[in-house]
Amino acid sequence: MVIRIAAVGDVHLDEDVVGRFRPALEELPECADVLLLAGDLTRHGTEAEARCVAEEFGGLTVPVVTVLGNHDHQCDQVPQVTKVLEDAGITVLEGNGVVLDCAGGRLGIAGVKGFGGGFAGRCASDFGEPEMKAFVRTTTESADRLGAALRSLDCDMLVALTHYAPVPDTLVGEPLEIYPFLGSYQLGQAIDSAPTALAVHGHAHAGTERGTTPGGVRVRNVAHPVIKQAYSVFHVGDQLDTDQVSPIGQSGSQRSWS
Ligand SMILES: [Fe+2]
Ligand SMILES: [Fe+2]
């Protein structure tokens, strides 16, 4: 029993990029049961940019599930952006989950944007000024919602979808100084609180593709500037968890926005 998961993040669409991903997306049914988008779908989170995302990723023959990224929050139009995406048939997760019936079984996907905070030994703590406490509380609440969503899903295979990174492994290549703004160990703890088979994130454009949580869960940074193709495909199942090297999916776009 195998479920095939395609994923990409940080496509940062606007009018000038529309159409670049589409040829590879049309081939998705041949290699994947679902497409996950790991946030930063837009550059500034405008409704107009969201319509570009809807045009590019809407109407596909496989389900599309996404979380939003920090860029998608920039213009404070999250409700409008979310509505445009959902009207295009894209499922937008934030602290909740969805279960999809795939040929290889029931796939549970729990998603949250996540937030920063840093990693073991180098992280922000809930101490001092109210602003610092609010920063840490944002991360804690986000991670708590991810963990609760993961543990609530009744499925055969479980995947965590975030924008921010749950481990430092996939940040290698980024400046150390900005690690606390790229992810949090608390997301990793949430992922490890459930029988998660795969964790997918974006945000770290200069990072590394592969990592592992302390609990042994496979983590993949699918930011488009990292994977340099329209999407990567991962298999999860009873007998094998593998990364597929897809011969298709070259979008030609290797932009590097953060
Ligand atoms: Fe981001
Ligand atoms: Fe990004």
Side-chain angles (χ1 to χ4, degrees):
M1 191 171 73
V2 173
I3 301 175
R4 306 166 304 167
I5 299 162
V8 63
D10 300 84
V11 293
H12 290 279
L13 286 191
D14 201 347
E15 288 179 5
D16 58 323
V17 184
V18 171
R20 288 194 196 181
F21 289 84
R22 197 71 193 190
L25 295 174
E26 298 291 356
E27 299 180 48
L28 265 175
E30 299 169 22
C31 63
D33 300 301
V34 60
L35 173 65
L36 305 184
L37 301 176
D40 276 5
L41 310 176
T42 67
R43 292 181 198 163
H44 301 100
T46 66
E47 197 172 342
E49 290 173 349
R51 282 195 289 272
C52 295
V53 178
E55 184 179 340
E56 193 77 349
F57 291 96
L60 297 175
T61 50
V62 302
V64 180
V65 179
T66 193
V67 292
L68 299 184
N70 57 312
H71 279 246
D72 306 318
H73 281 249
Q74 169 62 14
C75 283
D76 294 325
Q77 295 181 19
V78 167
Q80 297 93 320
V81 166
T82 300
K83 184 174 189 318
V84 169
L85 299 178
E86 290 183 338
D87 286 349
I90 298 170
T91 301
V92 182
L93 299 180
E94 177 49 49
N96 55 343
V98 63
V99 177
L100 304 175
D101 278 317
C102 303
R106 291 170 303 155
L107 175 66
I109 305 158
V112 72
K113 175 177 64 63
F115 201 53
F119 300 91
R122 299 287 187 276
C123 57
S125 60
D126 183 18
F127 183 88
E129 304 91 327
E131 292 84 356
M132 180 57 77
K133 290 174 180 168
F135 179 84
V136 173
R137 188 167 59 244
T138 301
T139 304
T140 302
E141 290 175 355
S142 185
D144 286 350
R145 284 184 285 125
L146 175 64
L150 282 166
R151 294 188 299 273
S152 74
L153 296 178
D154 180 16
C155 57
D156 300 314
M157 287 293 158
L158 191 55
V159 172
L161 175 63
T162 63
H163 181 61
Y164 284 76
V167 295
D169 313 21
T170 48
L171 303 184
V172 172
E174 297 279 4
L176 273 174
E177 291 85 350
I178 67 169
Y179 274 33
F181 305 105
L182 295 176
S184 166
Y185 75 97
Q186 294 193 66
L187 295 170
Q189 287 184 334
I191 289 163
D192 282 341
S193 75
T196 312
L198 172 71
V200 169
H201 75 87
H203 193 44
H205 291 205
T208 300
E209 189 171 2
R210 297 175 177 221
T212 310
T213 67
V217 176
R218 180 170 47 148
V219 178
R220 293 294 180 265
N221 176 1
V222 295
H224 182 243
V226 171
I227 66 173
K228 297 182 171 63
Q229 56 185 355
Y231 45 80
S232 293
V233 179
F234 309 100
H235 286 188
V236 295
D238 288 340
Q239 297 176 346
L240 75 169
D241 286 343
T242 56
D243 294 5
Q244 299 298 302
V245 178
S246 175
I248 63 172
Q250 299 296 329
S251 77
S253 173
Q254 296 185 17
R255 290 162 182 267
S256 186
W257 299 289
S258 60

